[in-house]
Amino acid sequence: MASLICGSLAFDTIMSFEGRFAEQILPDQLHILNVSFLVPALRRDFGGCAGNIAYSLKILGGSPLPMATLGTDGSDYFQRLKDLGIPTEFVHQVEGTYTAQAMIMTDRDNNQITAFHPGAMMQAHTLQIEKRSDIKLGIISPDGRDAMLQHAEQFKKADIPFVFDPGQGLPMFDGSELAHFIDQSTWVTVNDYEGKMLCDRTGLSSADISRRVQGLIVTLGAEGCDVWIDGEKTWVPPVKAQAVVDPTGCGDAWRGALLFGLEQGWSLAKCAALGNQVGALKIAQRGPQNYTLESLAIA
């Protein structure tokens, strides 16, 4: 069983600011905001939601099939996927563009400021989902707007169950579009902030959303997550991280674990519990694709 992962492939430039953003920004001067942050630590990582989710699912023993676009500077990423044993048949290179780039700055409290250049990702809608016997699951993670809309329609038409996880792409859609995503999807996952926005824009409560799909999961960071099924909420407790080093890619690590559990036919609560474990391991390592699962126990 393979999981088709729709989302971005990106290069992440990650910078560490040793202070607090809140100490550098004057609330009463936002209309003339002009700030500069000294970032002694800087590194470049392979990232993007599709790449990070595929990494998580692969090291868990699952079968990821990322569907994404790279720019003319993406040859290193192609090689990275091949080295990991992740198929690249649905990864296309778009001439005349850069691979998507995320510039992420993290302060000492793990708050983040991100600038994102979509580049080749804006052509992701040219990739088509078709029914195939080995593709049993899918996920729509943050991607180009047109790609997210079209891939949801294509998943539904191909009768492939899929997770709708809009992440930071959620603000691109209005209430009617988000409601349509929900009605097409099999599962919905959001973090607590995104969950509030989703409810506000659609006029639906978490309980309402859960009745329109097979399940809704709202992640709560260090507080675990809530699993909603048929209007009933179950809290899944968190896993304490050995260290809090870098939150970049934690949500994607969690998503990969969710897909692995769904591939195994687990309950949503068990999938979420694994996600909490993997997220705790990832946050203790720098970069979205540098962690290992040596201490993970899958029951």
Side-chain angles (χ1 to χ4, degrees):
M1 177 189 294
S3 296
L4 189 62
I5 302 168
C6 299
S8 61
L9 294 176
F11 293 119
D12 290 345
T13 300
I14 301 173
M15 299 159 280
S16 296
F17 173 55
E18 296 177 348
R20 292 184 172 93
F21 294 143
E23 296 171 347
Q24 305 294 316
I25 298 173
L26 301 174
D28 61 341
Q29 299 296 314
L30 291 178
H31 63 292
I32 54 169
L33 183 66
N34 186 352
V35 294
S36 178
F37 301 99
L38 177 66
V39 287
L42 182 149
R43 71 181 188 280
R44 194 171 190 240
D45 285 321
F46 295 100
C49 291
N52 297 342
I53 296 169
Y55 177 83
S56 173
L57 180 54
K58 182 65 178 180
I59 63 175
L60 281 163
S63 302
L65 285 172
M67 174 175 276
T69 47
L70 290 168
T72 52
D73 58 342
S75 58
D76 287 348
Y77 214 137
F78 269 113
Q79 190 59 51
R80 162 75 169 175
L81 295 171
K82 291 176 182 177
D83 291 344
L84 291 169
I86 296 174
T88 58
E89 59 189 292
F90 297 120
V91 178
H92 290 196
Q93 197 165 27
V94 181
E95 293 299 321
T97 66
Y98 288 109
T99 298
Q101 315 271 331
M103 280 66 75
I104 303 166
M105 184 162 45
T106 304
D107 75 359
R108 64 188 299 178
D109 294 327
N110 287 312
N111 297 307
Q112 291 186 318
I113 295 174
T114 300
F116 186 74
H117 170 67
M121 191 187 77
M122 297 307 293
Q123 299 301 314
H125 64 278
T126 62
L127 306 177
Q128 301 290 311
I129 297 169
E130 296 180 355
K131 191 173 183 65
R132 211 172 78 174
S133 60
D134 63 323
I135 299 175
K136 302 298 185 183
L137 287 171
I139 185 170
I140 291 179
S141 63
D143 205 350
R145 173 183 160 83
D146 290 343
M148 293 175 73
L149 290 166
Q150 293 180 27
H151 289 160
E153 298 282 354
Q154 292 162 11
F155 270 131
K156 187 69 174 178
K157 183 177 180 181
D159 198 28
I160 298 172
F162 74 95
V163 178
F164 175 54
D165 190 333
Q168 63 265 37
L170 193 154
M172 294 190 294
F173 305 101
D174 63 24
S176 61
E177 290 168 328
L178 291 167
H180 190 48
F181 274 123
I182 292 167
D183 289 338
Q184 292 176 105
S185 64
T186 313
W187 306 276
V188 175
T189 57
V190 287
N191 66 27
D192 50 349
Y193 180 84
E194 295 155 1
K196 290 180 177 66
M197 183 180 291
L198 181 62
C199 290
D200 182 64
R201 292 199 174 184
T202 61
L204 300 169
S205 67
S206 294
D208 293 334
I209 293 170
S210 72
R211 295 186 184 101
R212 296 168 77 154
V213 292
Q214 289 187 19
L216 163 70
I217 304 180
V218 181
T219 59
L220 308 171
E223 302 303 317
C225 54
D226 290 331
V227 176
W228 290 83
I229 297 177
D230 275 337
E232 299 294 326
K233 181 175 71 172
T234 301
W235 177 66
V236 179
V239 174
K240 185 174 177 59
Q242 291 186 350
V244 178
V245 175
D246 181 7
T248 308
C250 283
D252 296 329
W254 190 96
R255 290 165 172 139
L258 170 68
L259 290 178
F260 178 79
L262 292 174
E263 286 186 359
Q264 309 309 305
W266 294 354
S267 69
L268 279 187
K270 186 174 180 180
C271 294
L274 178 64
N276 291 348
Q277 290 185 67
V278 175
L281 291 172
K282 198 257 79 84
I283 203 170
Q285 301 293 326
R286 295 199 181 279
Q289 297 180 26
N290 300 324
Y291 59 98
T292 63
L293 302 178
E294 294 174 0
S295 61
L296 181 70
I298 300 178

